[in-house]
Short mmCIF file of all heavy atoms in Angstrom, two decimals:
data_model
loop_
_atom_site.label_atom_id
_atom_site.label_comp_id
_atom_site.label_asym_id
_atom_site.label_seq_id
_atom_site.Cartn_x
_atom_site.Cartn_y
_atom_site.Cartn_z
N LEU A 78 -36.92 35.78 2.88
CA LEU A 78 -37.65 36.94 2.95
C LEU A 78 -39.14 36.81 2.77
O LEU A 78 -39.98 37.46 3.38
CB LEU A 78 -37.18 37.95 1.92
CG LEU A 78 -35.94 38.69 2.32
CD1 LEU A 78 -35.36 39.51 1.12
CD2 LEU A 78 -36.12 39.61 3.50
N ALA A 79 -39.47 35.77 1.89
CA ALA A 79 -40.87 35.50 1.75
C ALA A 79 -41.61 35.02 3.02
O ALA A 79 -42.76 35.30 3.25
CB ALA A 79 -41.01 34.45 0.69
N PHE A 80 -40.92 34.38 3.98
CA PHE A 80 -41.39 33.99 5.13
C PHE A 80 -41.59 35.06 6.19
O PHE A 80 -42.47 35.09 7.02
CB PHE A 80 -40.69 32.87 5.80
CG PHE A 80 -40.56 31.65 4.97
CD1 PHE A 80 -39.52 31.32 4.14
CD2 PHE A 80 -41.61 30.73 4.88
CE1 PHE A 80 -39.37 30.26 3.35
CE2 PHE A 80 -41.60 29.54 4.10
CZ PHE A 80 -40.46 29.35 3.35
N THR A 81 -40.75 36.02 6.03
CA THR A 81 -40.58 37.11 7.20
C THR A 81 -41.13 38.49 6.72
O THR A 81 -41.44 39.25 7.52
CB THR A 81 -39.24 37.35 7.63
OG1 THR A 81 -38.44 37.64 6.55
CG2 THR A 81 -38.59 35.98 8.20
N GLY A 82 -41.21 38.66 5.47
CA GLY A 82 -41.65 39.95 4.97
C GLY A 82 -43.03 40.36 5.37
O GLY A 82 -43.33 41.63 5.53
N TYR A 83 -43.84 39.32 5.43
CA TYR A 83 -45.27 39.60 5.65
C TYR A 83 -45.47 40.53 7.11
O TYR A 83 -46.35 41.30 7.24
CB TYR A 83 -46.12 38.49 5.73
CG TYR A 83 -46.01 37.63 6.97
CD1 TYR A 83 -46.77 37.90 8.23
CD2 TYR A 83 -44.89 36.67 7.17
CE1 TYR A 83 -46.57 37.17 9.32
CE2 TYR A 83 -44.81 36.04 8.23
CZ TYR A 83 -45.52 36.20 9.32
OH TYR A 83 -45.34 35.59 10.48
N TYR A 84 -44.55 40.23 8.03
CA TYR A 84 -44.67 40.91 9.29
C TYR A 84 -44.54 42.43 9.20
O TYR A 84 -45.34 43.04 9.69
CB TYR A 84 -43.54 40.38 10.26
CG TYR A 84 -43.62 41.00 11.62
CD1 TYR A 84 -44.61 40.69 12.51
CD2 TYR A 84 -42.57 42.02 12.03
CE1 TYR A 84 -44.73 41.29 13.86
CE2 TYR A 84 -42.73 42.55 13.28
CZ TYR A 84 -43.65 42.26 14.10
OH TYR A 84 -43.77 42.85 15.37
N LEU A 85 -43.54 42.74 8.59
CA LEU A 85 -43.25 44.22 8.44
C LEU A 85 -44.36 44.88 7.52
O LEU A 85 -44.87 45.98 7.72
CB LEU A 85 -41.94 44.64 7.85
CG LEU A 85 -40.77 44.61 8.87
CD1 LEU A 85 -39.55 45.11 8.26
CD2 LEU A 85 -41.17 45.31 10.12
N TRP A 86 -44.76 44.17 6.45
CA TRP A 86 -45.86 44.66 5.61
C TRP A 86 -47.12 44.77 6.42
O TRP A 86 -47.87 45.93 6.18
CB TRP A 86 -45.95 43.58 4.40
CG TRP A 86 -47.14 44.02 3.49
CD1 TRP A 86 -48.26 43.41 3.23
CD2 TRP A 86 -47.16 45.17 2.68
NE1 TRP A 86 -49.03 44.02 2.36
CE2 TRP A 86 -48.29 45.10 1.90
CE3 TRP A 86 -46.24 46.14 2.39
CZ2 TRP A 86 -48.64 46.11 0.97
CZ3 TRP A 86 -46.56 47.16 1.45
CH2 TRP A 86 -47.76 47.15 0.79
N ASN A 87 -47.52 43.89 7.11
CA ASN A 87 -48.72 43.98 7.89
C ASN A 87 -48.71 45.14 8.87
O ASN A 87 -49.78 45.65 9.30
CB ASN A 87 -49.13 42.65 8.56
CG ASN A 87 -49.47 41.61 7.52
OD1 ASN A 87 -49.98 41.89 6.40
ND2 ASN A 87 -49.29 40.34 7.87
N LYS A 88 -47.45 45.37 9.39
CA LYS A 88 -47.38 46.45 10.36
C LYS A 88 -47.25 47.88 9.87
O LYS A 88 -47.17 48.91 10.48
CB LYS A 88 -46.12 46.27 11.25
CG LYS A 88 -46.30 44.93 12.19
CD LYS A 88 -47.16 45.47 13.38
CE LYS A 88 -47.21 44.46 14.47
NZ LYS A 88 -48.15 44.75 15.60
N GLY A 89 -47.19 47.86 8.50
CA GLY A 89 -47.17 49.25 7.77
C GLY A 89 -45.80 49.88 7.72
O GLY A 89 -45.66 51.07 7.48
N ASP A 90 -44.79 49.03 8.11
CA ASP A 90 -43.39 49.62 8.11
C ASP A 90 -42.91 49.78 6.79
O ASP A 90 -43.32 49.15 5.73
CB ASP A 90 -42.42 48.71 8.78
CG ASP A 90 -42.61 48.62 10.35
OD1 ASP A 90 -42.42 49.73 10.98
OD2 ASP A 90 -42.89 47.50 10.78
N LYS A 91 -42.03 50.84 6.53
CA LYS A 91 -41.55 51.25 5.27
C LYS A 91 -40.03 50.82 5.17
O LYS A 91 -39.49 50.30 6.18
CB LYS A 91 -41.74 52.64 4.92
CG LYS A 91 -43.25 53.13 5.03
CD LYS A 91 -44.01 52.40 4.04
CE LYS A 91 -45.45 52.85 3.89
NZ LYS A 91 -46.39 52.21 3.07
N VAL A 92 -39.46 51.09 4.09
CA VAL A 92 -38.11 50.82 3.93
C VAL A 92 -37.11 51.47 4.76
O VAL A 92 -36.11 51.07 5.14
CB VAL A 92 -37.58 51.06 2.40
CG1 VAL A 92 -36.28 50.74 2.09
CG2 VAL A 92 -38.49 50.10 1.46
#
Side-chain angles (χ1 to χ4, degrees):
L78 278 170
F80 295 103
T81 59
Y83 75 92
Y84 176 76
L85 282 189
W86 176 247
N87 291 336
K88 284 290 186 179
D90 288 297
K91 301 299 180 182
V92 176

